[in-house]
């Protein structure tokens, strides 16, 4: 049973509290807002770019707002991620402005201490119905493996050494492919239409985590990362999740309790 803590607050509040407490995490595993909403409604709540989640607010930042928000996010990640830790960042592009994703990633590279070390392709069980005009129907998404630039050769991964060359000491590692097949999500949820897959998270944990790791999800949503940590970890595994929506936090707690009751 993992130690799981849900924070009903803005992730920037959680990150600041971690910094103040000198608390670090080993992995940041998340699926952030993609800022792909087609809504043009501009309410007072929607104009607050740090408070846009699905059952309580809109996900409609401009490209420039989204880039600035992403840079701010990763500069805060830098303050709490342990040495040689990684950010596992599931994000995709929208049909309205497909360049926004790549511009935000470029901003991470240009304006933070992070770089993209690997790109994992996640193949879903079913394709997104995107049959508009000349756009392809998407059945894959990305998980970007992001590390600090000065830790590119040392960041933590669970590749095993297969053999060592005797004359030079050169190590040869097992293959670990950048391709994961997993369901789209853990089932329908009326509170959040953009959930991702605990099976995906489980496979990512197998690749990058140890049982005593502290894992943080700044956009916990309906608890997908927490459920994966509960299934994968033990009583040394810690998972912390931030979520603005009180309803989604309550939903996550109920999901976790149900799983734990079923395992008794």
């Amino acid at each position: 049973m993992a130690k799981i803590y849900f924070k009903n607050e803005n992730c920037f509040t959680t990150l600041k509290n971690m910094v103040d407490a000198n608390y670090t995490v080993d992995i940041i595993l998340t699926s952030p807002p993609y800022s792909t909403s087609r809504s043009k409604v501009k309410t007072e709540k929607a104009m607050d770019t740090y408070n846009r989640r699905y059952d309580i607010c809109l996900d409609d930042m401009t490209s420039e707002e989204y880039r600035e928000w992403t840079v701010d996010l990763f500069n805060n990640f830098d303050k709490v991620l342990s040495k040689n830790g990684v950010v596992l960042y599931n994000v995709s592009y929208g049909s309205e402005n497909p360049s926004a994703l790549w511009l935000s990633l470029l901003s991470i590279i240009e304006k933070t201490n992070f770089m993209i070390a690997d790109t994992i392709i996640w193949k879903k069980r079913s394709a997104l119905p995107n049959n508009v005009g000349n756009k392809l129907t998407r059945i894959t998404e990305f998980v970007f493996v992001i590390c600090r630039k000065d830790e590119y050769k040392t960041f933590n991964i669970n590749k095993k050494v297969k053999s060592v060359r005797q004359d030079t000491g050169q190590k040869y590692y097992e293959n670990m492919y950048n391709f994961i097949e997993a369901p789209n999500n853990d089932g329908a949820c009326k509170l959040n239409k953009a959930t991702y897959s605990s099976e995906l998270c489980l496979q990512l944990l197998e690749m990058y985590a140890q049982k005593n790791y502290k894992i943080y999800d700044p956009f916990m949503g309906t608890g997908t990362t927490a459920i994966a940590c509960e299934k994968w970890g033990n009583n040394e595994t810690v998972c912390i999740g931030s979520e603005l929506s009180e309803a989604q936090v309550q939903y996550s707690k109920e999901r976790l309790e149900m799983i734990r009751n079923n395992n008794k």
Side-chain angles (χ1 to χ4, degrees):
M1 181 182 296
K3 300 181 180 72
I4 296 174
Y5 306 95
F6 298 106
K7 305 289 186 180
N8 184 198
E9 61 191 15
N10 189 307
C11 68
F12 289 92
T13 300
T14 310
L15 288 162
K16 182 181 183 302
N17 290 338
M18 286 182 182
V19 173
D20 291 344
N22 198 29
Y23 188 88
T24 59
V25 297
D26 302 289
I27 289 177
I28 297 171
L29 169 54
T30 194
S31 184
Y34 294 2
S35 193
T36 56
S37 172
R38 297 180 183 180
S39 173
K40 301 303 179 185
V41 177
K42 296 294 181 181
T43 64
E44 181 178 349
K45 186 178 287 186
M47 291 306 293
D48 181 354
T49 59
Y50 289 163
N51 289 281
R52 302 182 178 191
R53 284 299 274 170
Y54 297 97
D55 66 315
I56 58 172
C57 45
L58 299 176
D59 179 25
D60 65 345
M61 284 179 262
T62 66
S63 292
E64 187 56 38
E65 285 174 334
Y66 191 60
R67 292 180 73 178
E68 292 174 0
W69 177 85
T70 302
V71 168
D72 194 8
L73 184 66
F74 273 81
N75 282 333
N76 278 274
F77 286 172
D78 196 18
K79 299 174 185 178
V80 304
L81 189 67
S82 63
K83 182 178 174 61
N84 289 319
V86 293
V87 182
L88 302 173
Y89 205 63
N90 163 232
V91 66
S92 192
Y93 57 92
S95 58
E96 295 293 305
N97 185 8
S99 297
L101 165 64
W102 308 108
L103 290 171
S104 69
L105 294 172
L106 180 62
S107 294
I108 293 171
I109 296 167
E110 290 182 337
K111 297 183 179 181
T112 78
N113 291 328
F114 290 95
M115 62 174 287
I116 299 171
D118 260 319
T119 303
I120 297 171
I121 304 301
W122 166 27
K123 184 184 177 186
K124 302 179 179 183
R125 295 275 172 83
S126 59
L128 177 71
N130 184 23
N131 300 319
V132 179
N134 60 351
K135 305 298 189 301
L136 298 174
T137 300
R138 297 198 297 274
I139 198 166
T140 63
E141 284 195 17
F142 306 105
V143 178
F144 295 99
V145 181
I146 299 174
C147 69
R148 293 186 181 94
K149 293 169 185 172
D150 62 355
E151 295 171 356
Y152 175 59
K153 294 185 178 180
T154 58
F155 71 86
N156 298 321
I157 187 171
N158 295 332
K159 291 185 73 173
K160 294 181 175 63
V161 176
K162 287 185 65 177
S163 62
V164 179
R165 186 168 173 173
Q166 291 186 349
D167 56 343
T168 64
Q170 173 70 50
K171 295 179 180 179
Y172 296 94
Y173 293 84
E174 66 176 357
N175 286 323
M176 186 176 285
Y177 297 107
N178 66 334
F179 182 80
I180 291 174
E181 294 187 74
N184 295 41
N185 51 53
D186 293 348
C189 175
K190 65 181 181 180
L191 297 173
N192 190 330
K193 303 301 182 184
T195 60
Y196 71 149
S197 167
S198 60
E199 175 60 31
L200 169 70
C201 293
L202 279 168
Q203 294 191 52
L204 292 170
L205 291 171
E206 288 288 344
M207 294 167 76
Y208 291 99
Q210 298 293 322
K211 296 293 184 180
N212 63 346
Y213 271 17
K214 297 187 289 290
I215 297 150
Y216 176 53
D217 186 345
F219 309 101
M220 180 64 82
T222 54
T224 303
T225 301
I227 297 304
C229 289
E230 175 71 11
K231 292 178 178 178
W232 179 85
N234 58 24
N235 58 12
E236 291 186 86
T237 306
V238 176
C239 178
I240 301 168
S242 303
E243 175 52 50
L244 282 169
S245 166
E246 184 177 356
Q248 291 192 61
V249 170
Q250 184 58 36
Y251 181 91
S252 299
K253 290 179 178 178
E254 291 170 1
R255 283 185 72 191
L256 180 61
E257 184 178 5
M258 185 181 299
I259 287 173
R260 287 178 170 174
N261 287 337
N262 289 339
N263 289 337
K264 286 182 179 178

